[in-house]
Amino acid sequence: MYSKELIKGTIKPIILKMLSEKDSMYGYEIVQAVKALSQGKIHIKEGSLYPILHSLKKDGVLETESREVGGRIRKYYSISQKGTPQVEASLNEFSDFVQTLQLILNPKIA
Amino acid sequence: MHNLKDYEIAHMRDYLIQHGLSYEDVQDDVLDHLCCEVEDLLKEGKAFEEAFEEARKDFSPEEIATIQSDTLYYLTIKRTCIMIKGIFISAYLALALFAFSFGFDFLFGVALNDPATGNLLSGLCKFMGVSIFSFAFLPLFVLYGYKRFMKQLAT
């Protein structure tokens, strides 16, 4: 499991990546998907997930659809039409950042 | 599929509300999350009480308070920044206009010996300064103070 500090700045792009892969997802599903893909190394805490989801929704990047499941309301989050270019830009930036980190971690010293 | 009973869901909602999760939109999300965790544990053969107790480890009172306060912070940060900017700008403008009014009094009344123009410009600046102070600075300042007070009451 990675440290909280290391994961902190990457949660938003991770969430957006998950949502970009599917039509819509609910909170628990996102957490489980990240856990499975990272082989249990990344666990998004509920205290981080929902504030970010609601902030992205407020900014119009995400939209929600509420459905009643098992006696309670479940909200499915999806990327809105307006948010698509923003998500693409965010994911490209994140990918570029990871590549830059690789350059630092594996320097080719001449 | 281990369906939770209505009273079990109500019990979990009460737990969240009891620990300060009053924002309804987030309450639905967190309740569903908690229910999913409990359902997973029920599938493993645990009883509801045991499953709920285990799932509660992820939803400690501190964690619930964090979810509520961080969500409200993210949702209001832009508006709060605009409000603080408004408070500073209106305070600066009101003070600058008062300073100008004294400047005009001195410039036209003493240096240029034209008190009528000085009074006119000074009066105009004072009027604008008082208006900005009364209708921009004070309402924003009071509103900001009120919101901070209400937030403190809620936490």
Side-chain angles (χ1 to χ4, degrees), chain A residues 26-28 31 43 45-52 54-55 57-59 70-75 77, chain B residues 4 9 25-26 28-33 35-37 39-40 58-59 63 66-67 70-71 74-75 78:
Chain A
Y26 56 96
Y28 185 71
V31 173
H43 174 66
K45 298 267 286 173
E46 299 74 21
S48 308
L49 176 70
Y50 292 108
I52 290 176
H54 282 260
S55 145
K57 187 188 164 193
K58 195 193 173 225
D59 292 341
R72 75 255 180 193
I73 302 288
R74 174 169 294 168
K75 268 189 279 165
Y77 291 84
Chain B
L4 287 161
I9 294 172
D25 219 15
V26 185
D28 287 337
D29 274 329
V30 178
L31 178 67
D32 181 51
H33 198 118
C35 288
C36 287
E37 283 197 18
E39 280 171 349
D40 279 352
D58 283 338
F59 294 91
E63 187 73 10
T66 305
I67 296 172
D70 283 4
T71 305
Y74 277 119
L75 294 182
K78 280 183 189 162

Side-chain angles (χ1 to χ4, degrees), chain A residues 12-47:
Chain A
K12 199 186 270 192
I14 288 174
I15 293 170
L16 291 174
K17 178 65 185 166
M18 292 297 106
L19 290 169
S20 71
E21 296 290 320
K22 285 185 103 177
D23 287 342
S24 65
M25 291 175 99
Y26 56 96
Y28 185 71
E29 191 182 8
I30 294 172
V31 173
Q32 294 304 313
V34 172
K35 206 170 167 183
L37 286 170
S38 68
Q39 295 167 344
K41 288 180 180 174
I42 298 176
H43 174 66
I44 300 179
K45 298 267 286 173
E46 299 74 21

Side-chain angles (χ1 to χ4, degrees), chain A residues 81-104:
Chain A
Q81 214 170 11
K82 181 194 158 195
T84 307
Q86 210 175 317
V87 171
E88 275 172 21
S90 172
L91 293 180
N92 287 338
E93 189 191 14
F94 185 53
S95 171
D96 191 57
F97 176 67
V98 172
Q99 281 172 24
T100 308
L101 283 181
Q102 286 293 339
L103 291 175
I104 294 168

Side-chain angles (χ1 to χ4, degrees), chain B residues 105-124:
Chain B
D105 276 341
F106 177 77
L107 184 71
F108 287 95
V110 180
L112 297 173
N113 204 19
D114 184 3
T117 311
N119 284 342
L120 179 74
L121 290 173
S122 167
L124 195 67

